[in-house]
Amino acid sequence: MEGSSGNMRSSEQREDMKKVREKTAKKRSKEKEDEDQDQIFNFNHKPAEEDEENEDLSDSEDSVYSGLEDSGSDSEDDEDEEEGSEDDDDEEEEEDNNDDVVVVDVKTESEQIQQTEEQTEKKKKKKKKEGVTKGVTEGEEEQKEDEYEHDSSDEEDIRNTVGNIPMEWYRDFPHIGYDLDGKKIYKPIRNKDELDDFLDKMENPEYWRTVHDKQTGSDIVLSDEQVELVNRLQRGQFGDVNFNEYQPSVEFFSKDVMLHPVTNRPADKRSFIPSLIEKEKVSKLVHAIKMGWIKPRRVEEDSRGHYYDLWASEDSSILAKHRMHLPAPKTPLPGHQESYNPPPEYLLTDEERALWEQQDPSDRKLPYVPMKFSSLRQVPAFPRFIHERFERCLDLYLCPRQRKMRVNVNPEDLIPKLPKPKDLQPFPTTQSLVYRGHSGLVRSISVSPSGQWLASGSDDGSVRFWEVCSSRCIKTVQVGGAVKNVAWNPNPSVCLLAVALDSVVLILSPSLADRQVVSSSERLLSGEQETEPTEGAGPVIWSETEGEELNQGIRLKIQHPKAVHQVVWHAKGDYLASVMPDHSSHLQVFIHQVSRRRSQNPFRKNKGLVQCVSFHPVRPYFFVATQRSVRIYNLVKQEMTKKLQANSKWISSMAVHPGGDHVICGSYDCRLSWFDLDLSTKPYKVLRHHKKAVRGVAYHRVYPLFASASDDGSVIVCHGTVYNDLLQNPLIVPVKVLRGHVSTHDLGVLDVTFHPTQPWIFSSGADATIRLFT
């Protein structure tokens, strides 16, 4: 069996070799004929070497990878005769190699490429030698070939002829397409993995300009001209650098009337005679109108219009099915009293008949008198029949009918969803310290900007300074009168306290700070008084203290014409405002400048009884609260910008938010009003949590907290979040009710203030104590 199979293989090989030899002989005879023809018709002495070479390469069976073409060197044109004999030997070897290619068709890709290159080089040497023997004489200079002679735009290095198809179709094949001769173009050897690609990216300087050609499967390095072309196209510019996109346009047709026409073509004959095509169309339309196929529009003479009955096609059942349909009330059915033969108990007696006649028609129980007849024939016509029908029509037409919509609402859904108080911490919850020492009502308290000292004023005629953390009274100043209000200077670089009692405002320097702060306070107080009195400040007298008062720390006295109820500092610490509520005078508010010792009355006329004032923390605005409203004045423009309606009977206190856009007002009718200045002039929210008059309100400087103190002995702390978004309203949540003060003479908590940095709150009451809640 093995011997027979071997004989079969050898016979097949002999037949294949025989076919190859016959084909090679035919090819040689054809080349010989072409050579003879070239020798006869050789006008230019330029052999068509390239065409023959391409023809040989395309027709030969051995061109396995025709995409790889080796460009032969031009220096081989001057080879001597000895190379010709070597070429003859190479030609015989080439035939053997061709046989090997046909018989042994299983080769590695690298061997095929190497063999193809050798064959191409040998053929080029042979062709060049023949060209030299044919057309070029000895001593003549060789003319170089024009490389663009046989070039065309269709053959611009496009070797793959598969067309515009997805190259993924050749993913599982060893080749990537076919050349012009129908031979397979094999894929190049690509053994690069991700690591090789990364190393190539790091080390190869030409990596950024290398692109992968999907049609040939090879990598192409772009030249500088090609990179510049790509950049220009990416920028949206033209590919050609010399192209001018703003060339002046040639106006072939312009507004100027030219002497000669643009074209010398004579006018058509059809432009002078009527159109025959249109005549035919018109005649067809006329015939159609005559035959009645086309009916022209008729102009209606009746211009009054048409009126339609909208309810002609409506059915009563359709209306009955309508969800909001209200049927007309029906007339009541007749009863026994309307019968022509009623029972005796339905007939009226003489007394009832006389009473019926005396009654007003609207008060009568029945609009008629029941009567009895022996037979239906004897019943007369009802005289009020038409009147009753008319009233029935009026009822149906004029009587309004409406459906009452009942909405079942859960009462819990009406309560707004507020966060839990434990999620809004920190806020004061427990009483930590009690400051005892005063013997009268503690009407006002104030905390220093550092938060270390607390000042309090009482009806016992003393001002006490307390250490906050230890509740120890550091200093007591006797001022000789009931203290209405105390206010600590908010400027941390000075240490001053303003005290209002009777008709005097005292400026105290308690010396409870370091030397630098005390010296800056002294410099502020040592300002000289102006020689020229300010307009409107005649009743106010500035004076310095002497003797015992100076030793206690009282540095300045500001004498007012009437009793002062409130003092308040500006944020910078140089200006001070005082309030003197009095109906009989326009001198209710004074603004003092401590550094220059001058005073002025900002208002020529006060509209209402001024209760309290406050400075805007940031902008040059001044808040003045009267009994019913709050007026906001612009100090720069010297005009009123806004008026807030508190909707309360008597405002008692006022506080401005540290941001300056919100104000809270407490009133003696147990209300706390929150105003949003950007929203409205009316309260955004009114809180009625207290049972008695609200005496004091306060904002915290840092935390979103505000508090109100009342005569019921409680302090209510609320969480008030103010958002930067103007479209979002403030969130106000009551979080804690603080109790501890004892009501005395129907007075409870008189003043309340927050610690400047900690979430602590101080309250002073009528029980002569001050309490700290933390």
Side-chain angles (χ1 to χ4, degrees):
M1 291 297 290
E2 293 179 358
S4 61
S5 63
N7 294 332
M8 290 175 66
R9 289 179 183 174
S10 60
S11 61
E12 290 176 359
Q13 291 177 357
R14 291 192 192 108
E15 289 177 0
D16 293 338
M17 292 174 65
K18 188 175 180 181
K19 289 180 181 179
V20 170
R21 285 170 183 166
E22 290 176 359
K23 189 170 184 180
T24 308
K26 289 180 182 180
K27 192 182 300 181
R28 284 183 178 179
S29 62
K30 186 176 181 182
E31 290 175 357
K32 192 173 182 181
E33 291 175 4
D34 294 340
E35 290 172 3
D36 296 338
Q37 197 171 5
D38 289 339
Q39 288 176 359
I40 295 172
F41 304 101
N42 191 8
F43 298 105
N44 297 328
H45 300 284
K46 287 185 180 180
E49 298 167 2
E50 238 175 300
D51 296 338
E52 290 178 4
E53 179 183 347
N54 293 337
E55 184 179 352
D56 291 338
L57 284 172
S58 61
D59 292 337
S60 63
E61 294 279 334
D62 54 9
S63 61
V64 179
Y65 187 72
S66 59
L68 294 170
E69 296 178 3
D70 188 12
S71 60
S73 62
D74 296 334
S75 65
E76 294 175 355
D77 294 335
D78 298 334
E79 291 179 348
D80 54 356
E81 295 289 332
E82 295 177 4
E83 291 179 351
S85 60
E86 291 176 7
D87 292 334
D88 295 339
D89 299 337
D90 293 340
E91 188 176 353
E92 294 177 0
E93 291 176 2
E94 179 185 343
E95 293 177 2
D96 298 338
N97 291 335
N98 285 339
D99 297 341
D100 295 341
V101 170
V102 174
V103 175
V104 186
D105 55 353
V106 180
K107 286 187 177 182
T108 62
E109 191 174 353
S110 59
E111 292 177 357
Q112 292 175 356
I113 295 172
Q114 184 178 3
Q115 183 177 355
T116 307
E117 292 177 353
E118 293 175 357
Q119 293 172 3
T120 306
E121 187 176 354
K122 290 173 184 177
K123 286 187 179 182
K124 282 190 176 182
K125 290 178 181 179
K126 177 183 173 184
K127 301 284 182 181
K128 287 175 183 176
K129 184 178 178 184
E130 291 176 355
V132 170
T133 56
K134 289 175 188 175
V136 182
T137 60
E138 292 181 3
E140 273 186 22
E141 291 183 5
E142 181 190 1
Q143 299 179 356
K144 291 186 179 180
E145 277 191 36
D146 186 7
E147 60 180 345
Y148 298 106
E149 182 181 357
H150 303 287
D151 191 18
S152 66
S153 61
D154 296 336
E155 301 171 358
E156 201 167 296
D157 200 30
I158 298 178
R159 308 171 189 168
N160 203 344
T161 60
V162 294
N164 187 15
I165 64 169
M167 301 308 293
E168 287 81 3
W169 293 357
Y170 288 94
R171 184 186 301 165
D172 300 329
F173 293 93
H175 60 286
I176 203 168
Y178 302 89
D179 59 0
L180 294 172
D181 302 320
K183 301 297 180 64
K184 295 181 179 179
I185 299 177
Y186 286 91
K187 298 178 182 177
I189 302 173
R190 297 180 67 89
N191 294 325
K192 295 173 64 175
D193 55 2
E194 295 290 337
L195 183 60
D196 294 335
D197 185 67
F198 176 74
L199 293 176
D200 191 19
K201 183 178 181 180
M202 293 292 107
E203 298 174 358
N204 186 10
E206 303 294 334
Y207 180 82
W208 66 275
R209 62 167 70 199
T210 305
V211 296
H212 180 68
D213 188 3
K214 290 186 178 180
Q215 284 201 333
T216 60
S218 60
D219 293 335
I220 300 174
V221 180
L222 301 180
S223 61
D224 293 339
E225 292 81 7
Q226 292 171 336
V227 172
E228 179 62 25
L229 176 62
V230 171
N231 291 335
R232 289 181 62 82
L233 294 179
Q234 285 181 345
R235 292 194 299 265
Q237 300 175 354
F238 289 91
D240 189 3
V241 183
N242 302 322
F243 179 76
N244 184 14
E245 52 184 314
Y246 303 107
Q247 294 180 0
S249 60
V250 180
E251 294 185 359
F252 294 101
F253 302 97
S254 63
K255 59 180 173 54
D256 302 330
V257 180
M258 295 186 294
L259 182 63
H260 299 286
V262 178
T263 60
N264 202 15
R265 181 173 175 273
D268 294 324
K269 181 182 178 181
R270 63 174 175 268
S271 62
F272 299 101
I273 62 175
S275 174
L276 298 177
I277 298 175
E278 292 180 357
K279 179 182 177 182
E280 186 178 355
K281 287 184 179 180
V282 170
S283 62
K284 286 184 179 180
L285 291 174
V286 170
H287 178 65
I289 292 173
K290 288 182 178 179
M291 296 298 293
W293 301 334
I294 298 177
K295 293 183 178 180
R297 297 176 183 173
R298 293 182 179 179
V299 180
E300 297 182 357
E301 297 179 357
D302 190 7
S303 61
R304 292 178 298 174
H306 294 277
Y307 301 96
Y308 301 96
D309 185 8
L310 294 175
W311 315 107
S313 59
E314 287 291 335
D315 191 8
S316 60
S317 60
I318 298 177
L319 290 174
K321 292 178 183 178
H322 196 271
R323 189 168 64 90
M324 299 301 292
H325 173 64
L326 291 173
K330 296 180 179 180
T331 57
L333 295 175
H336 294 291
Q337 63 269 20
E338 296 184 58
S339 174
Y340 74 96
N341 188 15
E345 59 268 16
Y346 288 97
L347 297 176
L348 299 180
T349 61
D350 295 339
E351 295 178 358
E352 292 175 347
R353 189 183 183 94
L355 181 62
W356 181 87
E357 290 176 352
Q358 292 176 4
Q359 287 179 341
D360 190 77
S362 60
D363 297 335
R364 291 171 180 171
K365 190 176 181 181
L366 295 174
Y368 56 88
V369 179
M371 300 179 69
K372 189 173 184 178
F373 300 95
S374 59
S375 64
L376 192 58
R377 289 185 294 104
Q378 298 176 359
V379 177
F382 183 46
R384 297 186 68 254
F385 175 74
I386 297 177
H387 185 68
E388 272 193 355
R389 294 294 95 191
F390 180 69
E391 286 184 348
R392 170 69 177 166
C393 293
L394 287 182
D395 290 342
L396 295 177
Y397 171 58
L398 296 174
C399 183
R401 301 195 299 273
Q402 65 178 359
R403 183 187 298 269
K404 283 189 176 181
M405 301 299 295
R406 248 185 106 179
V407 181
N408 296 324
V409 179
N410 188 7
E412 295 180 358
D413 297 340
L414 300 176
I415 302 175
K417 303 297 180 184
L418 297 176
K420 296 180 180 179
K422 66 178 182 180
D423 299 334
L424 303 176
Q425 290 178 345
F427 53 84
T429 55
T430 57
Q431 177 177 308
S432 298
L433 294 175
V434 179
Y435 303 82
R436 302 183 188 275
H438 285 290
S439 59
L441 304 178
V442 184
R443 293 189 179 272
S444 179
I445 53 175
S446 181
V447 187
S448 64
S450 63
Q452 184 180 2
W453 311 106
L454 173 69
S456 61
S458 173
D459 281 359
D460 58 4
S462 65
V463 176
R464 290 179 178 265
F465 296 91
W466 311 82
E467 189 178 11
V468 171
C469 296
S470 62
S471 72
R472 187 166 64 95
C473 181
I474 301 296
K475 191 174 184 181
T476 303
V477 178
Q478 296 292 336
V479 294
V483 179
K484 299 292 184 183
N485 199 354
V486 294
W488 210 293
N489 195 315
N491 190 355
S493 61
V494 296
C495 182
L496 296 175
L497 183 74
V499 180
L501 70 151
D502 297 334
S503 61
V504 183
V505 173
L506 304 178
I507 306 296
L508 275 72
S509 178
S511 302
L512 294 176
D514 55 7
R515 293 180 180 178
Q516 187 176 1
V517 175
V518 173
S519 62
S520 61
S521 304
E522 295 294 334
R523 285 196 301 270
L524 179 64
L525 295 175
S526 62
E528 296 182 358
Q529 188 174 5
E530 291 188 347
T531 56
E532 297 180 359
T534 312
E535 181 183 358
V540 177
I541 301 172
W542 290 70
S543 62
E544 294 184 357
T545 59
E546 298 176 353
E548 184 64 26
E549 293 181 346
L550 185 61
N551 295 333
Q552 288 184 349
I554 303 173
R555 298 300 310 276
L556 288 176
K557 278 186 178 183
I558 307 174
Q559 184 69 37
H560 290 70
K562 294 181 181 175
V564 181
H565 282 217
Q566 186 203 12
V567 287
V568 60
W569 287 94
H570 188 263
K572 293 184 178 180
D574 190 19
Y575 288 92
L576 178 71
S578 58
V579 179
M580 299 170 293
D582 188 8
H583 273 298
S584 62
S585 175
H586 67 282
L587 301 176
Q588 297 190 39
V589 179
F590 277 101
I591 296 179
H592 315 283
Q593 188 176 6
V594 179
S595 60
R596 300 177 66 178
R597 296 191 185 181
R598 64 174 184 174
S599 305
Q600 60 177 340
N601 178 19
F603 307 112
R604 295 180 181 176
K605 184 179 179 181
N606 292 105
K607 299 178 181 179
L609 188 64
V610 179
Q611 299 296 314
C612 53
V613 296
S614 179
F615 288 97
H616 195 283
V618 182
R619 303 191 192 99
Y621 289 132
F622 191 56
F623 296 82
V624 179
T626 58
Q627 289 180 340
R628 294 293 185 91
S629 61
V630 178
R631 288 180 171 84
I632 304 175
Y633 294 93
N634 191 330
L635 297 177
V636 177
K637 298 180 180 179
Q638 296 183 1
E639 62 181 10
M640 188 180 75
T641 59
K642 195 172 289 187
K643 182 180 178 182
L644 307 178
Q645 298 292 339
N647 294 337
S648 56
K649 295 180 181 180
W650 197 313
I651 294 176
S652 62
S653 53
M654 177 179 59
V656 184
H657 191 270
D661 293 333
H662 302 271
V663 177
I664 53 175
C665 294
S667 62
Y668 291 115
D669 52 357
C670 314
R671 296 184 183 184
L672 175 67
S673 303
W674 176 298
F675 292 93
D676 189 346
L677 301 184
D678 296 329
L679 187 64
S680 174
T681 58
K682 295 183 179 179
Y684 161 67
K685 190 157 289 188
V686 178
L687 305 179
R688 299 180 179 86
H689 299 143
H690 290 288
K691 297 179 181 179
K692 291 186 179 182
V694 177
R695 294 282 178 177
V697 292
Y699 270 114
H700 199 288
R701 294 185 189 176
V702 181
Y703 293 95
L705 299 173
F706 66 96
S708 59
S710 173
D711 281 342
D712 57 5
S714 65
V715 176
I716 295 181
V717 180
C718 299
H719 187 278
T721 306
V722 176
Y723 301 96
N724 292 328
D725 186 7
L726 295 178
L727 299 179
Q728 194 166 2
N729 294 327
L731 177 65
I732 300 173
V733 183
V735 292
K736 189 66 177 177
V737 179
L738 304 175
R739 301 183 187 276
H741 288 278
V742 180
S743 296
T744 307
H745 305 296
D746 291 334
L747 295 176
V749 185
L750 300 180
D751 196 10
V752 64
T753 184
F754 278 99
H755 192 277
T757 56
Q758 299 294 333
W760 300 346
I761 190 169
F762 299 90
S763 64
S764 64
D767 55 355
T769 61
I770 304 168
R771 299 175 188 268
L772 170 63
F773 297 92
T774 59

